[in-house]
Amino acid sequence: MVSSHSETSWELSPVKFSRLTRRGIILGLSLAQLIALAMGIITFVLALYAGDGQLLIYTAPAWASAAALTWFPVGGRKAVEWVPVVLHWLLRLLGGQTMYRRRVVKPRPAGTLALPGDAAALREYLDPETGAVMVHDPHAQTLTVILPVTHPAFVLLDPLQQERRVTGWGRVLATMCRSGRIARLQVLERTLPDSGAGLAQWWAEHGTDDGSWAARTYGELIDRAGPAGERHATTLSLALDMKAAARQIRTAGGGLRGGAALLRQEMTTLVTALRTADLKPGAWFTPTDLAVALRSAYDPGVANSLDRLGELGIELATAGPVAVDESWDRLRTDSAHHAVLWISEWPRALVFPGFLAPVLLSTGIRRAFSLVCTPIRSDQAARDIRRKKTEYVSDAAQRQRIGQIEDAQQSAEYQDVLQQEADLTSGHGVLRYTGLVSVSAPTTDELEAAVSAIEQAAIQASLETRRLVGQQAQAFTVAALPLARTI
């Protein structure tokens, strides 16, 4: 009886994510839809009262376009929601910001990361005490540090170990939420081509190269098998919110030095929490490690050389791309084409924690999966939950007054809000998750095939993905680079 109870208590528990809210301000209409609808109504009423029916016909394109923008869907969104995306893309296109060429003759200022776009403002700061490189974003007021993490394959563990590790990871996230000074925590899982350095090192240390035919054949086999394989690298990027922690930073000395002192406390807390969760944190990223990561993301063709030789591409000042061409739905960098998918809908039903395995373990595809966790302070989360509950109750009363039937999606969203309130009351934290998948390939045809394969894998994982358009360059820096940025 005891044994049976023990086995039952350690079964792997399914989990469920909250739905992406579709609720609007009034009658399911968002702010952009309301503005478009109001402009159409004003145009219609003015034409009706200012003239006869002929003026109403002349202004028909204006109020009809406003109505179409309000209700006509394009690509899964309402047409009015595409207006700012298209306008921003056109402005960048006319301003020549979709093309980047490295200025070889003119060196960049010391301490910069030599990245294109809005990432050009990022600065490097080397912490003298830990030797870790910290990335300062002066616009977002964040200071980021990167930590590599090793772990056994989750899907190969037994249910007891999986449940224990899921519980431990939940405690890590709860610790980050309680801090109140963390802007973001990014989990980046990259698929890298295996250079074969590990196999060659193992053969050099344990093999017996006696000059025989068997030893020579085995050595040649190791040299050929290494570059054909692939390996997975996981990093955690911790971003300190310098604006929220301004008072503590001034107490610690002010400026980047004070921010680094404060971030060191968060680094110690994170490492302790990871070890409690049976994860193995490595050494904090140095400027060399960050340079290799950035160079490998923009130029996958030299990733093997960077891993094998260990002396190329180690300068952070030259780690950025040489050329970038951004189109509407893809990105071209030094030696690869890239496309970024946004996980627009997490599993709506109960799933087990290993549900991402089809996406993360599909072979033969160069990709980077980025999960950006934005912790919300407990007081802000409580206020947000109360506001959502009030709005849902008001909307339900309004729908009942006008005779509109409440659908199942609205009821499910309300249940998600109640579940978040229950989790917050029981001591858990509230986080906002953003999932992005960057897919890379040498040619456009291979890229389209790889994107199609990832979309099918996402369907198997109960995920809904959308290909980002008009913002591929910014999305790539979030999905493929360990800088804990947001889009």
Side-chain angles (χ1 to χ4, degrees):
M1 184 66 183
V2 174
S3 174
S4 175
H5 175 73
S6 176
E7 290 177 0
T8 303
S9 62
W10 286 109
E11 288 181 352
L12 190 59
S13 303
V15 296
K16 188 178 70 170
F17 289 80
S18 297
R19 295 165 182 263
L20 185 65
T21 179
R22 310 286 184 188
R23 184 182 48 78
I25 297 177
I26 298 175
L27 299 177
L29 299 178
S30 63
L31 178 62
Q33 288 177 287
L34 288 176
I35 293 176
L37 182 61
M39 294 177 63
I41 293 176
I42 292 174
T43 305
F44 183 86
V45 172
L46 289 179
L48 186 64
Y49 282 94
D52 51 9
Q54 191 173 4
L55 185 57
L56 197 62
I57 296 175
Y58 289 152
T59 58
W63 52 263
S65 300
L69 288 173
T70 303
W71 283 295
F72 189 69
V74 177
R77 298 181 183 178
K78 299 301 180 185
V80 68
E81 297 177 355
W82 287 103
V83 173
V85 177
V86 174
L87 290 179
H88 186 247
W89 165 257
L90 291 177
L91 290 176
R92 296 179 62 240
L93 185 64
L94 295 176
Q97 298 180 6
T98 57
M99 296 178 58
Y100 169 81
R101 297 292 183 271
R102 182 182 179 82
R103 297 181 179 179
V104 181
V105 178
K106 184 179 180 180
R108 292 179 62 88
T112 60
L113 298 188
L115 296 177
D118 56 352
L122 300 182
R123 298 290 185 271
E124 167 199 0
Y125 178 78
L126 183 61
D127 184 32
E129 293 193 15
T130 62
V133 60
M134 297 179 179
V135 180
H136 178 227
D137 189 341
H139 297 313
Q141 288 293 304
T142 58
L143 191 63
T144 305
V145 69
I146 305 145
L147 176 70
V149 175
T150 57
H151 52 84
F154 183 80
V155 295
L156 300 180
L157 299 175
D158 57 75
L160 172 61
Q161 291 292 330
Q162 289 183 350
E163 179 70 18
R164 195 160 61 88
R165 289 177 184 275
V166 169
T167 305
W169 176 246
R171 290 173 182 167
V172 173
L173 296 179
T175 303
M176 295 299 102
C177 285
R178 294 192 189 99
S179 172
R181 301 178 300 196
I182 301 301
R184 281 175 295 276
L185 177 69
Q186 179 193 14
V187 183
L188 178 61
E189 201 275 347
R190 295 177 295 157
T191 303
L192 303 173
D194 193 354
S195 63
L199 286 174
Q201 183 180 1
W202 181 90
W203 171 246
E205 294 177 354
H206 301 87
T208 304
D209 189 5
D210 53 1
S212 62
W213 176 83
R216 189 168 58 254
T217 305
Y218 193 70
E220 294 175 354
L221 183 63
I222 288 179
D223 290 338
R224 295 174 182 175
E230 60 183 26
R231 60 186 175 89
H232 297 260
T234 305
T235 58
L236 294 181
S237 302
L238 185 66
L240 175 71
D241 190 346
M242 299 182 69
K243 188 176 180 181
R247 185 176 57 82
Q248 294 93 331
I249 291 176
R250 285 195 298 271
T251 305
L256 289 180
R257 191 179 62 176
L262 204 63
L263 185 55
R264 281 197 294 272
Q265 300 175 7
E266 302 295 340
M267 293 160 62
T268 304
T269 304
L270 177 62
V271 169
T272 304
L274 290 176
R275 286 174 178 163
T276 306
D278 289 340
L279 297 173
K280 297 179 181 177
W284 295 95
F285 261 34
T286 61
T288 300
D289 298 328
L290 181 58
V292 172
L294 297 180
R295 182 78 185 277
S296 301
Y298 282 104
D299 193 2
V302 299
N304 281 334
S305 301
L306 295 176
D307 192 23
R308 271 179 174 270
L309 301 179
E311 297 178 356
L312 298 176
I314 61 175
E315 293 292 335
L316 191 54
T318 59
V322 175
V324 175
D325 286 331
E326 181 186 1
S327 60
W328 178 250
D329 60 349
R330 69 172 67 97
L331 186 72
R332 170 73 188 277
T333 60
D334 297 353
S335 62
H337 298 262
H338 313 272
V340 180
L341 303 177
W342 168 50
I343 299 177
S344 59
E345 193 71 63
W346 295 93
R348 300 178 184 179
L350 291 173
V351 293
F352 289 101
F355 68 97
L356 283 174
V359 178
L360 300 181
L361 301 181
S362 56
T363 58
I365 301 175
R366 181 71 185 273
R367 67 189 175 280
F369 176 82
S370 181
L371 179 66
V372 181
C373 309
T374 304
I376 303 175
R377 286 199 332 234
S378 301
D379 55 338
Q380 294 179 353
R383 286 197 300 268
D384 186 58
I385 289 174
R386 283 196 296 269
R387 180 180 58 81
K388 287 182 178 178
K389 286 179 63 179
T390 304
E391 292 175 354
Y392 275 114
V393 173
S394 302
D395 288 350
Q398 190 174 8
R399 283 193 298 271
Q400 186 177 8
R401 187 167 54 251
I402 64 177
Q404 186 178 7
I405 300 175
E406 184 172 348
D407 56 17
Q409 181 175 349
Q410 293 164 345
S411 302
E413 291 179 0
Y414 184 61
Q415 293 300 323
D416 289 340
V417 174
L418 296 180
Q419 183 62 43
Q420 289 180 4
E421 185 181 28
D423 294 340
L424 189 64
T425 305
S426 59
H428 295 282
V430 176
L431 296 103
R432 186 181 300 114
Y433 296 99
T434 304
L436 296 170
V437 183
S438 172
V439 185
S440 305
T443 63
T444 55
D445 293 338
E446 295 181 41
L447 177 65
E448 296 302 326
V451 169
S452 178
I454 289 294
E455 289 175 342
Q456 291 299 319
I459 293 174
Q460 297 176 16
S462 303
L463 301 175
E464 180 180 329
T465 57
R466 292 183 185 176
R467 187 168 178 168
L468 291 178
V469 293
Q471 48 190 347
Q472 282 285 328
Q474 187 180 7
F476 179 78
T477 60
V478 178
L481 305 183
L483 300 177
R485 294 173 61 81
T486 185
I487 185 172

